[in-house]
Amino acid sequence: MKPSVGIVGCGRMGTALAKTLGDKGHAIVGVSSLHRTSAQRLAGICDISEATDRPWEITRKADVVFLTMPDGAIEYVCESISKQDGFSPAAVVLHCSGAHPSTILASARKSGASIGSMHPLQSFASIDLTQNPFKGIRVAIEGDSKAVSLADRMTRDLEALPLQILTEGKPLYHAAAVVASNFLVTLMGVAFRLIQQAGVPPEEAFAVLKPLIEGTLANIDRVGVHQALTGPVVRGDVQTVETHIQAIGQTMPELLPFYTCLVHYTAVQAGEGNRISEEMVKTFLERCKFG
Ligand SMILES: NC(=O)c1ccc[n+]([C@@H]2O[C@H](COP(=O)([O-])OP(=O)(O)OC[C@H]3O[C@@H](n4cnc5c(N)ncnc54)[C@H](OP(=O)(O)O)[C@@H]3O)[C@@H](O)[C@H]2O)c1
């Protein structure tokens, strides 16, 4: 029989887990949230019998408890449930934060439960789900051995792939996720601003850049980051970069630190990949001072 599940925190992650684990045959014993209405909403969608704002009422009955609230609230919610004897000593308690270690659940371990973290490496932007949002993604797992083995099983149930990580590696692991996802969005926002300033209508900005973005991702996949680099830096074309700096300085000077910072790291990366000489790297760093 599959382990039963209790979910505390009925936002985007709690909703995705309740819906998908329920679909995969796990009994969801109940859901709880800061506001009872959020728990009732989720219970209504997933046909769950118990919805409450007193989490210990449902967590006591669960083999696995997911604490899916904002990162800053996980530790004290866990403590408040522990104080109410809300975890079975046989339970596994998991949170889904990418940055924080499983050890923030230490109060549950004192109650005899096993603790771990299980971070789905995906951006969940909405509570409206039409398909399994976990399918094919990686889920980073760390914690006590019992918690790790159970999280591994739950991950495979979600049709995702487990990625075991070191507890102490979580901040850098999560920084990588932020660069790959959040900063990509920031990067695209700046590209849209620049192309609109050049005269492309805003509604066409993404469509115009999309094949370039997709082609670049395909190149990284095929030949890796060093060989995927094209453009003025890898060609050693300092003059073109200076033309960009001049144009940005005249029209959107607030973007100059952003642009020069990225030229700096692009040149460093091109040097590391032996795509340009050390001398050329230095030239770019001198011409593109930022900060
Ligand atoms: N969204 C993502 O892309 C993503 C990806 C990977 C991991 N995660 C992780 O998943 C966790 C949840 O993130 P999320 O995006 O689902 O957040 P979210 O959509 O903002 O939802 C958070 C939920 O937690 C509830 N909550 C807040 N304080 C609470 C408390 N003291 N007790 C009980 N419930 C409380 C809120 O309840 P009410 O609705 O009742 O106010 C809300 O429904 C975080 O640890 C986050 O790092 C998120």
Side-chain angles (χ1 to χ4, degrees), residues 7 23 86 90 103 105-106 112 125 128 151 167 197 199 203 209 229 254:
I7 288 174
D23 287 350
T103 46
L105 306 175
D128 296 323
T167 302
Q197 184 71 30
E203 63 280 10
L209 290 169
L229 193 61
E254 71 281 7

Side-chain angles (χ1 to χ4, degrees), residues 10-13 33-35 38 69 71 77 96 119-120 122 124:
C10 298
R12 287 162 289 191
M13 183 56 64
S33 208
L34 185 61
H35 300 96
S38 298
M69 62 280 311
D71 287 6
V77 171
C96 294
H119 176 251
Q122 181 56 285
F124 296 77

